[in-house]
Every structure is written in C-alpha cells, then in structure tokens.
Amino acid sequence: MLKVYRGLQPSVRRDREREALRLAAEWNLPVPRVLATGAGRRTAWAVFRVVDGVPGDIATGNGVCSFISRTRTTAQFSQGRARGLAPGLGWAPTPGPPISNSDFLLDQLSERCRQRNWWTELEAVFKPVNLDPTVYLHGDFKPEHFLANRGRLHVVDWEASARGPAQCDYADAVFHLVRDLIYIGKAPDQLPISTICNLPVSSGVLVWRLLRWLDRRRPNDIDAITPYEIRRLANAVTPAALICELARLIAKLRAQGTPR
C-alpha cells in the first residue's frame, strides 16, 4: 500500500510514522511493515505491507464496546514501555529544552487560538496533566484504525504518534466516539454514556481535544465555542457529566454547520 503525505511537513510526518512502527514492531505489536520510503517535490511517501482485516465501526453497541476494548489494550501496551520520556511529537527524542505535558497540549493549538479570549484560562485547565506520566501515544485512535481478521488485530495510521500525557489517547477515543455518533444522527441522550465511561479521561484533556478539532476545521469554527462552554466542560465533576457536556457541545456545533 502506498501512502502519500501532503501539506504540512510531509517528510516529518512520514518519518514519525516510520519510527513509531519500527518500535511497535520490536514490541511485537501487530502493525504494518514499512517496505520503502521516499519524497517528491512537495510530498513524501511510504510503502507498507498490506495487512488483512476489517475496519472497526461504531454503528452497533458491540462495535462501540470493541473499539473501547481495543483502545484500552493498545494504549496500555505502549504506555507500559514508557520510561523517562520527555513530551514531544513522534516517539524519537527531539532536540531542545524539555517541555511539560501541559505545554505539549498548548503547542498543538495554532496561533489563532492564542488570540482568543479564553486562551489564558487554558494554562490552568491543562495544568493537572503535569501529574500524569509521559507515555508513548498513538495519537489518533479511531475505530477504522483497528483492522480485525480472525482474532488478529492490526493497528494502523501512526503518523500522529507522540510522547505526552497518558490521557491523550483515551481523549482521542472518547472524542471520536461522541463526535461520530452525533454526526451519524444520534441525539446526546441516545449515546451509550455508561459504556463510554469505561475509557478513563480527564476534563482538561478533553477540552484540548475538542479545541484541536475546531482549530483544524474552517478558520471561523474556533469562534463557535465560548469561554463559558469551555469552563462548563472543564468543570464537569463526573465522567458521565463530562461526556454528556461534550455531546451537547458537539451537537450544537453540528447544528451550526461545523464540518465533521
């Protein structure tokens, strides 16, 4: 399979994925093998050995449960190999002064976020993640990134791999579950909240994941969320309340035309 990387730093993203797959394979995690890499004028590419499997989906309750189980198993496997990591993009150490987990989250948001009137509040919202261990992250857990075939599971698409707070991979999974269920037409009160609560996630990291999604949509989509709504999400006191608030916000954003 040929994968072409375009847009922002294509060669960096290719190398990030290649390094993560190299380490994952050394740990006997079932991942695709990189056969060759190269670059064009404005692109980079990699050739992977094709792996068999059917992508996961969340159209059924069993699909949701499978995705949650696969996320927990894979995250725990890679997190268990983390020792003395410094936060940053990719799994390989990066040069420069070390940063904190909270700075890692802030650095993922663009300059236009820094110009919003809620930016200064984020430092306090993200600060608790500095108590979390820094671990190896897949960076983009989605149901379709798990390919199942006769009891064997392959995990694909590692170009967003990073080293950061353990909550990030779980926040990715929770966010994708809630967003995708809302965007296929589920109302917030129809979501399997108690099932989704099986993924451990903190309010601060979920705020970050929601903002990162909006930051990567149309330029004005980031203005669709207010400081009050960020505070409500950040101050949710139980996992169920946190997921319900996220669902309410995403339903509002969908109704306002924010692209999936």
Side-chain angles (χ1 to χ4, degrees):
M1 183 193 76
L2 171 66
K3 180 174 181 178
V4 179
Y5 304 79
R6 306 179 188 276
L8 185 65
Q9 297 183 311
S11 294
V12 172
R13 288 166 31 230
R14 177 206 60 202
D15 293 345
R16 188 183 304 156
E17 182 162 25
R18 179 175 59 182
E19 175 64 11
L21 288 171
R22 183 187 69 79
L23 283 175
E26 286 182 4
W27 303 334
N28 294 320
L29 191 66
V31 295
R33 179 183 171 190
V34 180
L35 301 178
T37 61
R41 289 184 60 188
R42 298 182 180 178
T43 64
W45 55 266
V47 176
F48 301 90
R49 184 181 297 280
V50 173
V51 294
D52 294 328
V54 177
D57 68 71
I58 55 171
T60 66
N62 285 339
V64 170
C65 290
S66 293
F67 175 52
I68 289 173
S69 175
R70 291 166 179 175
T71 294
R72 290 182 64 103
T73 299
T74 306
Q76 289 169 1
F77 186 92
S78 58
Q79 290 174 11
R81 278 138 185 84
R83 297 289 185 276
L85 297 179
L89 297 175
W91 282 9
T94 49
I99 61 173
S100 65
N101 278 335
S102 58
D103 285 338
F104 168 78
L105 298 185
L106 290 168
D107 287 348
Q108 303 308 299
L109 301 175
S110 73
E111 182 61 32
R112 64 184 170 191
C113 289
R114 288 166 169 79
Q115 299 169 0
R116 298 309 184 266
N117 57 4
W118 39 258
W119 176 259
T120 55
E121 298 183 37
L122 293 187
E123 290 188 4
V125 171
F126 294 167
K127 189 173 181 180
V129 302
N130 290 328
L131 300 177
D132 286 356
T134 301
V135 301
Y136 292 112
L137 301 170
H138 175 275
D140 196 20
F141 277 140
K142 298 178 181 178
E144 59 267 32
H145 290 167
F146 293 97
L147 305 181
N149 180 40
R150 298 179 181 178
R152 185 168 176 80
L153 187 72
H154 284 92
V155 188
V156 301
D157 203 337
W158 293 77
E159 70 173 88
S161 60
R163 294 156 286 122
Q167 295 284 329
C168 284
D169 270 343
Y170 298 123
D172 265 331
V174 168
F175 173 79
H176 285 127
L177 266 176
V178 173
R179 184 199 63 183
D180 291 354
L181 288 169
I182 293 292
Y183 272 71
I184 64 174
K186 297 286 187 182
D189 61 1
Q190 294 177 314
L191 269 57
I193 301 297
S194 60
T195 302
I196 299 173
C197 284
N198 287 316
L199 286 168
V201 66
S202 68
S203 58
V205 182
L206 209 52
V207 166
W208 163 77
R209 190 60 186 82
L210 176 67
L211 291 175
R212 195 175 69 154
W213 172 60
L214 288 173
D215 193 25
R216 297 181 179 186
R217 305 275 77 76
R218 300 168 304 183
N220 293 330
D221 284 323
I222 195 68
D223 294 319
I225 194 166
T226 67
Y228 172 74
E229 289 170 327
I230 291 174
R231 290 186 205 109
R232 277 183 59 95
L233 187 60
N235 293 329
V237 296
T238 66
L242 177 62
I243 294 167
C244 286
E245 185 62 24
L246 177 68
R248 186 193 67 79
L249 279 172
I250 291 177
K252 185 203 86 165
L253 293 164
R254 177 179 183 247
Q256 291 179 350
T258 302
R260 176 181 174 275

